[in-house]
Amino acid sequence: KAIDLYDQAINNLTDSPRLPELLFAKGELLVKIKNLPEAYKTFNYLINYYDGTLFSDKAKIELGILELERKSFSNSEDLFRDVSERRKDDLGAKAQYYYGLSLFSQEKINDAISAFVRVRSIYSNYLEWYSKSLLKLGDCYVKINDIKNARDMYRAVLKSNRNNDIEREARRKLNSL
């Protein structure tokens, strides 16, 4: 019913400046209900017809995450890189984090380290992505057997996070070293 409501609103508001927002919300809902072909179609439409807008960039990240889950690394990296190179806000931070995650998933550890360091350097004001990047940096260092740097990354997460999932994960990883 919600999808039908979105479709109705989208069809009736073709000239509205809020149309990209409606399309993005519809795409998110399609992902949530696991209708991935329609989600791809909706996000691609948004990207193609509203490129450069906030919701186009959000769609690129969501599409990149779907591509990452499919292990279509080249596509996901292109989408993440496009957003992270242009934006210096929380969307840029999120895109850069996921770019690093894509590299990490492929065992390109040195490249992943560079990507996560970029989050730490450029997007340190965005605590969620900063902290997640430090956690993954720690994981990268564990992979290359640099336990000292891994420990430093996990401890840095503990300094800026209290009583949340990120803090608990950092504590668990630190204790396992």
Side-chain angles (χ1 to χ4, degrees), residues 110-123:
N110 288 330
D111 292 336
I113 288 171
S114 295
F116 292 128
V117 165
R118 187 169 188 265
V119 175
R120 188 179 69 183
S121 302
I122 296 174
Y123 303 104

Side-chain angles (χ1 to χ4, degrees), residues 12-163:
N12 290 333
L13 301 170
T14 55
D15 294 330
S16 172
R18 306 276 319 257
L19 190 58
E21 184 177 1
L22 287 170
L23 287 164
F24 180 74
K26 177 185 174 185
E28 282 186 308
L29 183 58
L30 289 164
V31 169
K32 190 173 189 174
I33 65 171
K34 307 257 189 267
N35 186 343
L36 300 184
E38 282 300 310
Y40 270 86
K41 187 174 159 185
T42 301
F43 289 141
N44 277 318
Y45 180 85
L46 182 52
I47 290 165
N48 289 328
Y49 289 97
Y50 297 95
D51 194 29
T53 66
L54 168 71
F55 290 101
S56 171
D57 287 342
K58 290 177 89 164
K60 286 177 184 179
I61 293 171
E62 294 307 314
L63 202 54
I65 292 169
L66 292 173
E67 291 290 276
L68 181 58
E69 289 171 0
R70 288 183 10 181
K71 298 189 183 325
S72 181
F73 298 117
S74 179
N75 290 341
S76 69
E77 289 169 15
D78 288 345
L79 290 161
F80 297 140
R81 208 175 18 248
D82 179 59
V83 176
S84 69
E85 288 175 354
R86 287 184 299 98
R87 298 190 74 102
K88 301 302 177 227
D89 59 4
D90 61 325
L91 287 182
K94 182 178 183 178
Q96 184 64 36
Y97 167 78
Y98 275 104
Y99 177 66
L101 194 59
S102 178
L103 295 166
F104 182 83
S105 298
Q106 298 172 76
E107 300 287 325
K108 296 179 179 177
I109 302 305
N110 288 330
D111 292 336
I113 288 171
S114 295
F116 292 128
V117 165
R118 187 169 188 265
V119 175
R120 188 179 69 183
S121 302
I122 296 174
Y123 303 104
S124 61
N125 291 336
Y126 304 100
L127 184 60
E128 176 184 5
W129 304 113
Y130 173 78
S131 298
K132 286 182 175 187
S133 291
L134 291 180
L135 274 174
K136 278 301 184 189
L137 269 170
D139 296 349
C140 288
Y141 289 128
V142 166
K143 287 249 186 212
I144 61 172
N145 207 27
D146 184 346
I147 302 307
K148 180 197 176 310
N149 274 326
R151 192 173 283 123
D152 290 345
M153 293 301 108
Y154 298 144
R155 285 182 180 146
V157 172
L158 294 175
K159 286 181 185 175
S160 57
N161 290 272
R162 296 282 180 247
N163 299 321

